[in-house]
Amino acid sequence: MKIKPFDVFDSAPVLADVPLLAAAGESLHYLDNAATTQKPNAVIDAISDCYRQHNAPVHRGLYDLAENASQLYETARRTLAKFIGAASDQLIFTRSATESINMVAQGWLRPRLNKGDQIWLTRMEHHANYLPWQALCRDNGARLRIIELNQDGTLDLENCTGLYDASTKLIALTQVSNVLGVINPLKEICAKAAGQGIAVMIDAAQSVGHMPVDVTELDCDFLVFSAHKMFGPNGIGALYGKAERLNQMEPLLLGGGMVDHVSQCDSIWMPYPTKFEAGSQNLADALGFAAAVNWIRQHDMHAMHAHVTELTQYALDSLAKLNNVEIYGPRDAEQRAGIVSFNLTDVHPHDVGQIAGERGVAIRAGHHCCQPLMQQLGIAATARASFAPYNNRNDVDALIESLHAAQALMG
Amino acid sequence: MSNSSIYKDVLMDHYRNPRNRGDLSEADIVRRGSNPRCGDDIDVGVNFDAETLAKVMFRGRGCSVCLASASMMTETVSGKSKTDAHQLVAAMRNWFTAEGATADDRPADNLAALDAVRGHSARKRCVMLAWEALDEALEIE
Ligand SMILES: Cc1ncc(COP(=O)(O)O)c(C=O)c1O
């Protein structure tokens, strides 16, 4: 009897469906998916089809082509919204997760953050979810507070006194750390925060498209993500907000399309989502974004997630067998997404990344836009491998081989 | 290792056996070059004999490229006049940033091993760190 392998997912058809990787074959082991993912045919086609067949101004024209473009744009919005369990009009197209966070910081929190108030973040936040709040605290005289981490990289929720105090106006945290891979217990935090009327903003840049994310189930106030990290195009992202919050939030970009009535001295904004989408809209990338969602659905996100988890465990186990290696974050892949940061003793992460690169293994080396975390870990940088459904064990083996080579060369 | 590898023997030799690396307490002037992006942190110390760089040393930590480049720098500029050293730094900058620069534009022959690094924009700062620190130590406006 044939023994059924633990991992039954076949990554080969997924790989074959990603032209850049299919063309590169064995010469490229792309393990930098947390930085940006590669694009399947469906996404590339959706974008080029848009320019070949559908291109027209969105929400502007009265002719058929323009009407069709508007409908396609709104269908894309519905696809995205449904994917995260949101009502369609609560999904706002932005340029990126970064832009979405800045919109919440400037448009929602700035006018209601007072001296002595607190904003809580975590030690593992990406600069995108750190700097906007740091600047806001400085400007408004509020306090920036940090949820610190346990030894294994999980949040230390026992020792953050004052987290749910009345003075806390917002808790902004990531669902998945782009360095440690840790998945945070958001439901617990959102539930406690809601009980005190505290808003929670979730940075879902590393989670949407890779694991189930449902804003209704989470009951968060805001949630942000980027298309390019979930097999979609660059230059487009999304912001979800609760209806009440979106009503309170002011638009940052003022201009065409977002306004209802303009008089000489005053104007009335359109309702959301339109009030947050000033200027001519990015139709092609919205269609590419929705195509990414459909592609993920078609390949079954649960199956892909299980495959990535299995690969991550294989990578963790393989790395642990190396001499002189430090692995950051939990050792159990079930507690993480497909992201593994590590360092080799006495080999600078830049050299690790470069030597791996010379062997066709694409990994990231640096601080990963998480300097507060690096300071806490007492290091300047790490090497990081991050996995996607098109990766397989060969990619991990190639990584490990390149690490042996790095140790041999630099040792 | 492939031909395009940046880890040429000469570079690795400077990394493994750095020249003029050590104590800077006797230096006339010490200047620091640091790159918080990757944790490279180098001090360059110079002893002058009138207008000449009598002794150039460095200490610190960084990746192989950063340390090897620092080591090569100390070799290249020791014994040179302040003005020549300043010009060498400018030539290095140019070699690493000017469009159309080639291997032949290297400021000195003992820097040839760095040519392979020029194509890697992410490593430019690693290469230039010690050179920029030296330039500050020269205190030429
Ligand atoms: C956790 C996390 N948050 C936010 C971002 C910012 O995403 P973007 O650069 O697409 O705006 C990233 C991207 O690296 C990330 O990993």
Side-chain angles (χ1 to χ4, degrees), chain A residues 34-35 96-99 101 126 128-129 174 176-178 203 205-206 226 228-229 369 384:
Chain A
S96 60
T98 300
E99 181 171 88
I101 296 169
H126 189 280
N129 196 29
T174 195
V176 167
S177 162
N178 64 312
D203 175 353
Q206 294 292 350
S226 278
H228 74 99
K229 293 192 193 275
C369 300
R384 178 188 73 186

Side-chain angles (χ1 to χ4, degrees), chain A residues 51-350:
Chain A
Y51 288 119
R52 287 178 198 286
Q53 298 164 26
H54 309 302
N55 184 48
V58 174
H59 299 320
R60 304 274 197 287
L62 298 172
Y63 44 92
D64 280 356
L65 190 68
E67 183 52 41
N68 184 49
S70 306
Q71 282 181 17
L72 287 171
Y73 189 71
E74 291 308 321
T75 306
R77 188 195 308 282
R78 268 197 300 282
T79 304
L80 260 305
K82 196 166 163 225
F83 191 54
I84 59 161
S88 200
D89 59 352
Q90 285 166 258
L91 190 292
I92 295 147
F93 283 120
T94 67
R95 279 188 306 173
S96 60
T98 300
E99 181 171 88
S100 304
I101 296 169
N102 279 275
M103 284 165 69
V104 177
Q106 302 301 327
W108 184 74
L109 190 53
R110 182 179 283 277
R112 44 183 54 72
L113 185 72
N114 300 312
K115 198 161 188 253
D117 286 346
Q118 307 187 75
I119 300 176
W120 279 85
L121 312 177
T122 82
R123 178 58 65 184
M124 66 176 80
E125 296 312 314
H126 189 280
H127 293 166
N129 196 29
Y130 199 97
L131 301 181
W133 312 118
Q134 188 184 52
L136 201 49
C137 283
R138 195 182 51 219
D139 292 352
N140 289 23
R143 281 180 74 199
L144 192 73
R145 303 289 306 274
I146 305 289
I147 303 174
E148 298 291 349
L149 310 185
N150 297 312
Q151 271 300 322
D152 65 355
T154 54
L155 294 180
D156 179 4
L157 291 167
E158 307 287 304
N159 292 303
C160 34
T161 318
L163 176 58
Y164 303 109
D165 279 3
S167 59
T168 299
K169 287 289 141 69
L170 178 84
I171 304 170
L173 81 166
T174 195
Q175 183 156 26
V176 167
S177 162
N178 64 312
V179 174
L180 304 168
V182 184
I183 304 169
N184 288 324
L186 297 180
K187 270 180 90 166
E188 173 193 336
I189 295 168
C190 289
K192 284 192 178 147
Q196 305 300 319
I198 298 167
V200 178
M201 197 220 73
I202 293 172
D203 175 353
Q206 294 292 350
S207 53
V208 174
H210 302 276
M211 60 185 66
V213 175
D214 188 307
V215 293
T216 312
E217 205 185 303
L218 287 170
D219 195 25
C220 54
D221 294 80
F222 297 102
L223 183 136
V224 308
F225 55 107
S226 278
H228 74 99
K229 293 192 193 275
M230 47 178 286
F231 319 106
N234 281 310
I236 191 163
L239 165 65
Y240 158 82
K242 275 187 178 163
E244 175 201 354
R245 304 297 188 198
L246 293 179
N247 279 326
Q248 295 169 334
M249 189 164 127
E250 284 293 313
L252 294 194
L253 280 188
L254 310 183
M258 50 77 67
V259 72
D260 191 21
H261 175 77
V262 181
S263 58
Q264 179 145 339
C265 298
D266 215 352
S267 299
I268 299 166
W269 310 143
M270 294 283 284
Y272 65 81
T274 314
K275 77 169 168 180
F276 299 112
E277 296 180 358
S280 300
Q281 291 307 294
N282 182 355
L283 175 64
D285 291 321
L287 300 187
F289 201 170
V293 167
N294 290 330
W295 181 83
I296 291 163
R297 283 231 202 86
Q298 177 202 327
H299 281 284
D300 184 352
M301 182 164 58
H302 290 89
M304 294 201 292
H305 180 59
H307 169 68
V308 168
T309 304
E310 196 273 341
L311 259 190
T312 306
Q313 191 64 57
Y314 180 60
L316 286 167
D317 295 345
S318 307
L319 279 169
K321 286 188 201 135
L322 289 170
N323 291 324
N324 302 320
V325 64
E326 170 128 36
I327 302 168
Y328 305 97
R331 290 300 172 91
D332 176 6
E334 294 294 331
Q335 282 179 275
R336 8 162 125 227
I339 297 171
V340 181
S341 279
F342 59 93
N343 269 320
L344 302 179
T345 316
D346 295 331
V347 186
H348 193 286
H350 273 182

